[in-house]
Amino acid sequence: MKSKTSTIRTRASERNAFVDLTDDLRRAIKDSGVTDGCAVAFCAHTTAALVVNEWEDGALADFRRHLDDWVPHEGVYFAHDDFEIRTQNLHEDERKNGHAHVKAMIMGATSHAIPVAGGEPLFGQWQRLLLLELDEPKDRDVVVHVFGG
Amino acid sequence: MKSKTSTIRTRASERNAFVDLTDDLRRAIKDSGVTDGCAVAFCAHTTAALVVNEWEDGALADFRRHLDDWVPHEGVYFAHDDFEIRTQNLHEDERKNGHAHVKAMIMGATSHAIPVAGGEPLFGQWQRLLLLELDEPKDRDVVVHVFGG
Amino acid sequence: MKSKTSTIRTRASERNAFVDLTDDLRRAIKDSGVTDGCAVAFCAHTTAALVVNEWEDGALADFRRHLDDWVPHEGVYFAHDDFEIRTQNLHEDERKNGHAHVKAMIMGATSHAIPVAGGEPLFGQWQRLLLLELDEPKDRDVVVHVFGG
């Protein structure tokens, strides 16, 4: 039984951009020495999400549009961004990102568990591991824990 | 390789209330003796969800409002609550909670896998493990399975 | 420490149909010889999702209706289905399934981690493992990785 935890650090180009982490995931699996087992990918942030889906620009744009229609990032009241009344967890560079918290919570996609065989993730033909930046871009850490034989 | 399964029993104060389970999760990890590995948190219910996000009252209220706007718990028809036609899985204290099933399914947040290092969950700065009660409050069990070295 | 990876192959009867995989999951756990540990179920597709919830026809219909209201499969523009402009990942039997990608991404339900005790998944009373076909039916593979003692 082997296991290894590593971190992928990445940064999206802009709000709502996806970053393809599939190659980083494959590398983390190789580095762990695990050939058969499982990889857990965990997004250590509250305003970004991990998505396992296809990288096709149109599909990603379609998703962004639907998500923004449901939770517009402007023109809607967010208590999280109401600094007149808010008292909790305030820090220096607080930004208006209430919309991003709501999106992250509805997506429910903080972690994924992906079986591994032959040293590779058992992704279907079109599956890739993607990070979706819901806030303004900053450095993001995705923790990968690989375990197995 | 160690592993341990334990159960966190909790009860929210009202429908749509969150309960912070972060300290319970930390305790389950300590009790397992695992220092490096992974913790799986699993909600054993169909009308409650686990959320990994920030506890900030405003953000939680924002999320509740968006979720209720999309799936109102009153004034909308739910076949699950139509006891004139429903025949499956009826039990004594059946309640009208069709809205809660729809919310739980869209959230897709029955389980989370959280890497562990140094005996602690590898949460980002603002991340906490939260239970969201979507139905009227009752005792809820969250199973925690910790494994590693 | 034992572990075993197996695949459940299934096919839904129509678009938006659910398939109950609970018995297949139980069998995969039995076949692994694991009595106490965890089972990961992973959907190897980008237009289908795994749901852990109740099989009650009304609740499943309620969910389908809400999901289709939010992402209609017809009458809405999807860039993924715009073959005038799309250039990526095109294959022979390309179908118009942009709606299914959006639904799969919002559900965020590619994988679930389910603790196992006494050789059984630790499901609550009404929980079952369901595959939701979001596209037109075809063969679907759900990978199950079971590990533990």
Side-chain angles (χ1 to χ4, degrees):
Chain A
M1 167 79 185
K2 298 167 192 166
S3 77
K4 185 167 182 181
T5 302
S6 57
T7 301
I8 301 168
R9 174 154 293 187
T10 191
R11 191 184 183 105
S13 56
E14 56 184 347
R15 187 177 60 77
N16 263 352
F18 285 84
V19 184
D20 192 333
L21 301 180
T22 314
D23 291 342
D24 305 88
L25 175 68
R26 288 184 195 278
R27 203 171 305 122
I29 293 170
K30 294 291 177 206
D31 289 351
S32 73
V34 169
T35 52
D36 295 273
C38 194
V40 164
F42 178 82
C43 177
H45 302 277
T46 54
T47 56
L50 289 174
V51 173
V52 176
N53 212 280
E54 180 178 348
W55 187 294
E56 192 282 308
D57 292 341
L60 302 183
D62 292 333
F63 178 68
R64 272 191 291 261
R65 198 179 64 244
H66 276 87
L67 196 60
D68 279 343
D69 280 354
W70 186 56
V71 189
H73 84 288
E74 286 186 332
V76 172
Y77 176 83
F78 290 98
H80 185 63
D81 300 333
D82 185 347
F83 302 129
E84 304 280 315
I85 60 161
R86 181 172 154 196
T87 58
Q88 295 166 311
N89 301 358
L90 288 161
H91 55 104
E92 274 179 25
D93 58 338
E94 195 64 45
R95 5 182 182 182
K96 297 203 169 192
N97 60 7
H99 72 99
H101 284 282
V102 173
K103 288 168 183 166
M105 286 192 246
I106 194 70
M107 291 180 68
T110 301
S111 68
H112 293 280
I114 304 151
V116 170
E120 297 284 343
L122 284 176
F123 280 147
Q125 183 178 10
W126 304 110
Q127 285 184 311
R128 302 189 73 82
L129 178 65
L130 311 176
L131 179 89
L132 172 56
E133 175 59 78
L134 296 164
D135 202 346
E136 298 307 315
K138 50 184 166 179
D139 286 350
R140 298 297 199 174
D141 287 335
V142 174
V143 181
V144 179
H145 179 69
V146 190
F147 60 95
Chain B
M1 168 78 185
K2 299 167 192 166
S3 77
K4 187 168 181 180
T5 302
S6 57
T7 300
I8 301 168
R9 173 153 293 187
T10 191
R11 192 185 182 104
S13 57
E14 56 184 346
R15 188 177 59 77
N16 263 353
F18 285 84
V19 183
D20 193 332
L21 302 181
T22 313
D23 291 342
D24 305 271
L25 174 68
R26 288 185 194 278
R27 204 171 304 123
I29 293 170
K30 294 291 178 207
D31 289 351
S32 73
V34 169
T35 51
D36 294 274
C38 196
V40 164
F42 177 83
C43 176
H45 303 277
T46 54
T47 55
L50 289 175
V51 173
V52 176
N53 212 280
E54 181 178 347
W55 187 294
E56 192 282 308
D57 291 341
L60 302 182
D62 292 332
F63 178 67
R64 272 191 291 262
R65 198 180 62 243
H66 277 87
L67 196 60
D68 279 343
D69 280 354
W70 186 56
V71 189
H73 84 287
E74 285 185 334
V76 172
Y77 176 82
F78 290 98
H80 185 63
D81 301 333
D82 186 346
F83 302 130
E84 304 280 315
I85 60 161
R86 182 172 153 195
T87 58
Q88 296 167 309
N89 302 357
L90 288 162
H91 55 106
E92 274 180 25
D93 58 338
E94 195 64 45
R95 5 182 181 182
K96 297 203 169 192
N97 61 7
H99 72 99
H101 284 282
V102 173
K103 288 167 182 165
M105 286 193 245
I106 194 69
M107 291 180 67
T110 301
S111 68
H112 293 279
I114 304 151
V116 170
E120 295 285 342
L122 283 177
F123 280 146
Q125 185 178 8
W126 304 110
Q127 286 183 311
R128 302 189 72 82
L129 178 65
L130 312 177
L131 179 89
L132 172 56
E133 175 60 76
L134 296 164
D135 201 347
E136 298 306 316
K138 49 184 166 179
D139 286 350
R140 298 297 199 174
D141 286 335
V142 175
V143 181
V144 179
H145 179 70
V146 190
F147 60 96
Chain C
M1 168 78 185
K2 299 168 193 167
S3 78
K4 186 167 181 181
T5 302
S6 56
T7 300
I8 301 168
R9 174 153 293 187
T10 191
R11 191 185 183 106
S13 57
E14 58 185 344
R15 187 177 60 77
N16 263 353
F18 285 85
V19 183
D20 192 333
L21 301 180
T22 313
D23 291 342
D24 304 271
L25 174 68
R26 288 185 195 277
R27 204 170 306 122
I29 293 170
K30 294 290 178 208
D31 289 351
S32 74
V34 169
T35 52
D36 295 274
C38 194
V40 164
F42 177 82
C43 176
H45 302 277
T46 54
T47 55
L50 289 174
V51 173
V52 176
N53 213 280
E54 180 178 348
W55 187 294
E56 192 282 307
D57 292 341
L60 300 182
D62 292 333
F63 178 67
R64 273 192 290 262
R65 198 180 63 243
H66 276 86
L67 196 60
D68 280 343
D69 280 354
W70 186 56
V71 189
H73 84 288
E74 285 186 334
V76 173
Y77 176 82
F78 290 97
H80 185 64
D81 300 333
D82 185 347
F83 302 129
E84 304 279 315
I85 61 162
R86 182 173 154 194
T87 58
Q88 295 166 311
N89 301 356
L90 288 162
H91 55 105
E92 275 180 24
D93 57 339
E94 195 64 44
R95 7 182 180 182
K96 297 204 169 191
N97 61 7
H99 73 98
H101 284 282
V102 173
K103 287 167 182 165
M105 286 192 246
I106 195 69
M107 290 181 68
T110 301
S111 69
H112 293 280
I114 304 150
V116 170
E120 296 285 342
L122 283 176
F123 280 146
Q125 184 178 9
W126 304 111
Q127 285 184 311
R128 303 189 71 82
L129 178 65
L130 312 177
L131 179 89
L132 171 56
E133 175 60 77
L134 296 164
D135 202 346
E136 297 307 315
K138 50 184 166 180
D139 285 350
R140 299 296 199 175
D141 287 336
V142 174
V143 181
V144 178
H145 179 69
V146 190
F147 60 95

